[in-house]
Amino acid sequence: AVRDSWLGSQDLAACCGQADVPVRHYKRRDEIYEALGIHELLGMECPEVLKVVRKYYEADDLCDKAMLDKPPPVRRIVAVHGVNVKTDTMYALRVNTLRVKPMELHSRFVLDDQAELVESVPGLCMSGGMVYEQSGGSKYSGDGVVPFDSMEYCRAWAGHVDLQVKYLDDVDHRGLLKDPGFHDLL
């Protein structure tokens, strides 16, 4: 999410499907944050990178986006997820007002450490401009790197493959392969 006030008359909600943005400024409670997708953010921060993504990935015939929902060509999948580790899922950004030297590279945006959650939600917390999912909510949280909802994408293939999804509580992304519980599941 980014603060809307500096974006002028742009209506970013129309271009990226405005979702409920769960953050606000801690002092100026009516300060509006807009939800942005990666394309919109890249377009404002670094249009050259967006051009590369479009030219070398999205326009590539071998990059078949229609295949995203198709299951992999296997009969059985056992997906093992480390869960309930604090995982960043969203960022509140503001314009970087730092005066820069011409030859130094600086980001146009920085984390907005003055943003806070609009309301307390079990399983979510915010610190330093970052929204995290964590244990204590109505569902598992991620593995410290991958958010839970992203790990669960494999469930889209359930009708096409023999799918089993297993969870290892309090196991982080890096530690998954060396966790004894992982080897027991295999």
Side-chain angles (χ1 to χ4, degrees), residues 2-10 12 25 28 30-34 93-95 112:
V2 295
R3 276 197 222 157
D4 184 45
S5 58
W6 53 266
L7 291 174
S9 60
Q10 278 185 305
L12 295 173
H25 191 273
R28 297 182 302 277
D30 59 338
E31 190 78 38
I32 296 172
Y33 288 78
E34 288 275 350
L93 303 173
R94 64 174 173 79
V95 172
D112 190 346

Side-chain angles (χ1 to χ4, degrees), residues 1 20-23 87-92 111 124 126 129-132:
D20 290 335
V21 180
V23 298
T87 306
D88 54 313
T89 59
M90 202 178 312
Y91 310 96
L111 291 169
L124 283 183
M126 184 166 195
M130 298 171 69
V131 177
Y132 299 92

Side-chain angles (χ1 to χ4, degrees), residues 20-24 86-87 89-90 116-127 130-141:
D20 290 335
V21 180
V23 298
R24 66 179 174 209
K86 188 176 178 180
T87 306
T89 59
M90 202 178 312
E116 67 180 10
L117 292 173
V118 171
E119 60 185 51
S120 179
V121 177
L124 283 183
C125 69
M126 184 166 195
S127 173
M130 298 171 69
V131 177
Y132 299 92
E133 61 184 16
Q134 60 186 6
S135 61
S138 61
K139 62 180 183 176
Y140 290 120
S141 66

Side-chain angles (χ1 to χ4, degrees), residues 1 9 18 21 37 42-43 70 73 77 86 89 95 128 146 163:
S9 60
Q18 176 71 29
V21 180
L42 280 176
K70 293 184 180 179
I77 296 174
K86 188 176 178 180
T89 59
V95 172
V146 181
L163 175 68

